[in-house]
């Protein structure tokens, strides 16, 4: 059973799954469907890992959204899985059956008021290399992905202090852009870790 402190800074769970690619998603979903609780940690603001970056995948040769959408549906309907994106494991201590981990959450600079309307990206004039597409094109400094979780925009932390971001801030009628967000550390107490 998963317990989250009222402040959200401590989580007690059965498993910590590191990596939100197809393997990590599958591990968290399968474990939860067997009755275990799991915290899924992903460093990017989207799930799917390398599979999400592919044009097509074998053997069906269909876009990754086809196969990933099934697992996304299983995640969304599952109260035993908590997903932390823009997160990285800073420390693991303990022994089997009793691990204490520290997970660092990077700021999204976009809060829950975001409706994913895209007005901020339309107003943003700052274009940067798109690492998602291996630098072969550019993207706005504030962006969203098809596999984003939660389905909100994210402001690239490298450009949060850039003057060009003020236009995005002014054009957001939902006051969803919060340049004051800070990194946050969460303690996850778990019985096992899947890396």
């Amino acid at each position: 059973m998963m317990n989250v402190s009222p402040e959200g800074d401590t989580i007690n769970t059965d498993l910590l799954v590191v990596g939100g690619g197809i393997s990590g998603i599958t591990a968290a979903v399968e474990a939860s469907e067997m009755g275990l609780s799991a915290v899924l940690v992903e460093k990017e603001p989207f799930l799917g890992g390398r599979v999400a970056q592919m044009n097509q995948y074998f053997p069906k040769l269909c876009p990754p959204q086809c196969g990933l959408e099934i697992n996304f549906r299983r995640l969304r309907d599952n109260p035993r899985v908590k997903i932390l994106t823009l997160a990285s494991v800073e420390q693991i201590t303990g022994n089997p059956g009793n691990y204490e981990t520290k997970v660092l959450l990077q700021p999204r600079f976009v809060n829950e008021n975001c409706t994913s309307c895209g007005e901020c990206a339309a107003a943003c004039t700052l274009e940067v290399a798109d690492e998602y597409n291996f630098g072969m094109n550019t993207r706005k400094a504030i962006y969203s992905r098809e596999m984003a979780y939660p389905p909100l925009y994210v402001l690239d932390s490298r450009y949060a202090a850039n003057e060009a971001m003020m236009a995005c801030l002014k054009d957001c009628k939902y006051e969803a852009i919060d340049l004051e967000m800070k990194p946050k550390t969460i303690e996850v107490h778990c019985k096992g870790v899947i890396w």
Side-chain angles (χ1 to χ4, degrees):
M1 189 70 178
M2 187 177 319
N3 288 325
V4 180
S5 68
E7 300 81 25
D9 58 355
T10 304
I11 302 171
N12 292 306
T13 187
D14 293 315
L15 291 174
L16 175 71
V17 180
V18 182
I22 193 72
S23 297
I25 292 170
T26 302
V29 168
E30 294 292 330
S32 69
E33 290 177 354
M34 295 298 294
L36 300 175
S37 60
V39 173
L40 179 62
V41 175
E42 170 54 48
K43 65 181 176 181
E44 299 293 340
F46 62 91
L47 296 175
R50 298 219 187 269
V51 171
Q53 294 176 282
M54 294 179 181
N55 178 39
Q56 298 175 334
Y57 71 97
F58 187 81
K60 295 181 181 180
L61 298 180
C62 64
Q65 291 77 10
C66 296
L68 286 173
E69 182 54 38
I70 294 166
N71 282 325
F72 269 39
R73 193 174 321 117
R74 291 169 73 193
L75 281 173
R76 278 193 297 267
D77 297 338
N78 195 326
R80 290 190 180 111
V81 179
K82 179 161 183 63
I83 302 168
L84 303 174
T85 53
L86 289 174
S88 58
V89 175
E90 296 289 297
Q91 177 183 3
I92 297 177
T93 58
N95 47 38
N98 186 26
Y99 291 105
E100 292 184 17
T101 64
K102 292 193 185 306
V103 177
L104 180 66
L105 294 178
Q106 295 298 330
R108 179 177 292 276
F109 298 111
V110 174
N111 62 35
E112 293 78 24
N113 295 343
C114 180
T115 63
S116 293
C117 67
E119 301 270 334
C120 57
C124 182
T125 58
L126 187 57
E127 298 248 344
V128 299
D130 188 1
E131 62 281 347
Y132 184 82
N133 289 320
F134 307 102
M136 293 188 294
N137 63 338
T138 60
R139 64 162 168 79
K140 300 289 181 104
I142 190 164
Y143 64 100
S144 183
R145 296 274 179 236
E146 191 166 343
M147 299 293 177
Y149 194 93
L152 305 174
Y153 273 71
V154 62
L155 194 155
D156 191 319
S157 61
R158 298 172 291 186
Y159 307 101
N162 192 299
E163 286 296 319
M165 298 316 299
M166 292 303 121
C168 303
L169 184 64
K170 291 176 189 167
D171 276 28
C172 181
K173 58 187 170 193
Y174 301 104
E175 299 179 0
I177 300 173
D178 181 0
L179 299 177
E180 301 300 315
M181 284 183 168
K182 303 282 184 224
K184 178 181 177 180
T185 300
I186 295 179
E187 289 185 18
V188 179
H189 303 277
C190 58
K191 296 174 186 173
V193 177
I194 298 175
W195 198 284

